[in-house]
Amino acid sequence: MSQNKYDVIIVGGGISGCAVAWKLARYNIDVLLLEKDPDVATGTTKANTAIIHAGYNADPEKQKGRLNNKGNIQIKQIVKDLNIPFEEIGSLVVGMEGDNLSVLDELLEKGKRNGVEGLEIVDKEWLLREEPHINKDVVAALWAPTAGIITPWEFALAMAQNAVANGVDIQLETEVLDVYTDNGKVTGVKTNKGDYQADYVVNAAGLYADDVAKMVGVEKIEIHPRKGEYYIYDHAKDFEINHVLFPIPTKISKGIVCTPTVEDNLLIGPTSDFVDSKEDLATSREGLDHVFEGAKKMFPDLTLQDTIRVFAGLRAADKTEDFVIEAADTVDGFVNVAGIQSPGLSSAPAIADLAAEILEDLGLTLEEKKDVIETREEPVRFYEMSNEERAKYVEKNKKYGKIICRCETVSYKEILDAIHGPVGARTVNAVKRRTRAGAGRCQGGFCGPRVTQILADELGIDTTEVRLEKNNSKIVEHKIKGLLGSKVIDNA
Ligand SMILES: Cc1cc2nc3c(=O)[nH]c(=O)nc-3n(C[C@H](O)[C@H](O)[C@H](O)COP(=O)(O)OP(=O)(O)OC[C@H]3O[C@@H](n4cnc5c(N)ncnc54)[C@H](O)[C@@H]3O)c2cc1C
């Protein structure tokens, strides 16, 4: 049945699958990651609050509680090694007049039991000094200095790229349709692109982890998608918000968060509503109103002016409301990394450690490679540079001199690098995730057609074949003379 033989196959290229690949790449084993979409990080990993949580929220008895703080500590080194945008700005759970403030003490205690350092309760004066625009009804808050903000898709991409540098194979647009077993032992997978043999399979399929688990007879995992809707604001407007701000949490949600992003946008959200479909990423008037009302409680002067986009993400919530990271008891060689809802980003390296330990317990030999590449070269980020720095790049290569996305100052050369670099971009959104082209105020209104043309030119396909993201999301139905179909980018 086989085309290729691997020791381990990882199903899913979100942060969980990419972190497992990054971890396993350090050992003398052959690893293949299979992702059904044309890019990594197209699932829940691309649409969330982008916070590296400190780790006080989940119970210490849960895997979520045990892994969050461990992940948080490791991430501080990983972002340096892999050049991932990250800022350790700290988070606050803010109690207002009329709130049940005893929750703050409960969270403090829980955080201490989870091993979180630096937690303290701060008073009104502290809060008004640190967050001058916050609601004057604040009373006290839990301060967690170890929390931070990250670019989540770049976190996953950087881990995937480092895994590839260390020998992992990644196959995109390859959907696992079934898992083969023989005598109660995993032997490989069936995909839409053919069969692959492996002794071990790691199921990191996000919202579809229950479906993949069922392929080996595991019935106990039940993923119920829970939607979170958001507004994002233009970074050109300075909102002077310095930390991640949570209200007092409810049983299933941390509430409406107000947070800066690493790119200086203001992000508000998310809602928390169960939905039927694993593909339902629609936003709603009701949901967005709820987000805005929640954010206004924190910042009464906030308006909707300067919002540039709304979006939604789906939490892959298992019925246990915990991560389900364990070996399947139905077959040998199958490991579930399922139910990875929040704090999945924050826990990712610790999730990967646990998955590796389970694989070792199942009999996989993990012998460290001698020459592991620990670092990833920093991508050129024109938007962060001064004009003097930009001029130096243009002098070296004039392709830096052509600006394709004016809102975010993204050059032609950066887009070429995104397409031709490791785990290269194949879609317009994949270019956006790697370069920020289309992430600014006009949301791709101007650069979208040019990025489409560049993708067509570089991939050797027709512009009518270029996709926005996944499935059949083609952008251009017919060519319009002078806009598409003629080279927009020539002689650069
Ligand atoms: C609203 C919201 C807010 C959140 N905020 C935070 C936060 O601030 N901090 C935090 O730590 N966490 C947060 N999270 C949680 C975090 O985003 C997730 O835990 C994490 O992204 C899950 O990653 P994953 O790799 O497990 O799943 P995904 O990112 O969904 O990846 C799974 C991948 O598997 C692929 N796949 C599925 N089936 C198959 C198949 N059969 N074959 C091949 N590939 C397949 C999918 O295409 C997908 O790419 C939030 C989540 C949501 C929804």
Side-chain angles (χ1 to χ4, degrees), residues 44 205-209 221-226 274 313-319 321-323 338-342:
T44 303
L207 289 157
Y208 294 92
I221 299 171
E222 269 179 38
I223 304 293
H224 298 286
R226 199 164 65 230
F274 283 105
L314 294 172
R315 304 167 182 86
D318 179 60
K319 62 175 188 298
E321 288 294 337
D322 197 7
F323 299 160
I340 310 299
Q341 52 167 292
S342 188

Side-chain angles (χ1 to χ4, degrees), residues 11-17 34-37 42-45 47-51 53 174-176 204-208 212 215 226 228 230 270 313-315 340-346:
V11 187
I15 189 64
S16 304
L34 299 174
E35 166 54 53
K36 69 178 171 59
D37 290 338
T42 58
T44 303
T45 299
N48 51 63
T49 322
I51 299 163
H53 293 289
T174 309
E175 181 171 1
V176 172
L207 289 157
Y208 294 92
V212 173
M215 293 174 189
R226 199 164 65 230
Y230 295 88
L314 294 172
R315 304 167 182 86
I340 310 299
Q341 52 167 292
S342 188
L345 288 177
S346 321

Side-chain angles (χ1 to χ4, degrees), residues 429-440:
N429 279 355
V431 169
K432 175 169 149 181
R433 280 190 287 276
R434 284 160 180 75
T435 64
R436 293 189 57 72

Side-chain angles (χ1 to χ4, degrees), residues 22-29 166 353 356 360 364-374:
W22 165 84
K23 173 80 185 174
L24 295 183
R26 319 179 95 68
Y27 303 105
N28 276 317
I29 50 173
N166 285 310
D353 283 351
E360 210 170 12
L364 177 67
T365 304
L366 293 182
E367 181 195 272
E368 291 217 19
K369 281 178 188 161
K370 284 205 177 67
D371 306 313
V372 175
I373 300 164
E374 300 283 354

Side-chain angles (χ1 to χ4, degrees), residues 85-134:
F86 171 79
E87 287 174 30
E88 191 169 358
I89 59 173
S91 69
L92 289 157
V93 181
V94 179
M96 308 260 180
E97 279 169 23
D99 282 344
N100 176 6
L101 297 179
S102 66
V103 174
L104 300 179
D105 296 314
E106 287 165 24
L107 291 174
L108 175 69
E109 278 317 303
K110 217 190 276 185
K112 283 183 181 164
R113 283 164 65 206
N114 285 339
V116 181
E117 295 202 344
L119 293 173
E120 61 174 307
I121 306 284
V122 292
D123 62 14
K124 181 170 185 148
E125 198 186 334
W126 191 102
L127 279 165
L128 294 180
R129 196 177 58 238
E130 286 287 317
E131 295 290 352
H133 303 291
I134 203 168

Side-chain angles (χ1 to χ4, degrees), residues 32 143 385 399 465:
L32 170 66
W143 166 234
M385 291 180 194
K399 291 186 174 115
E465 294 300 312

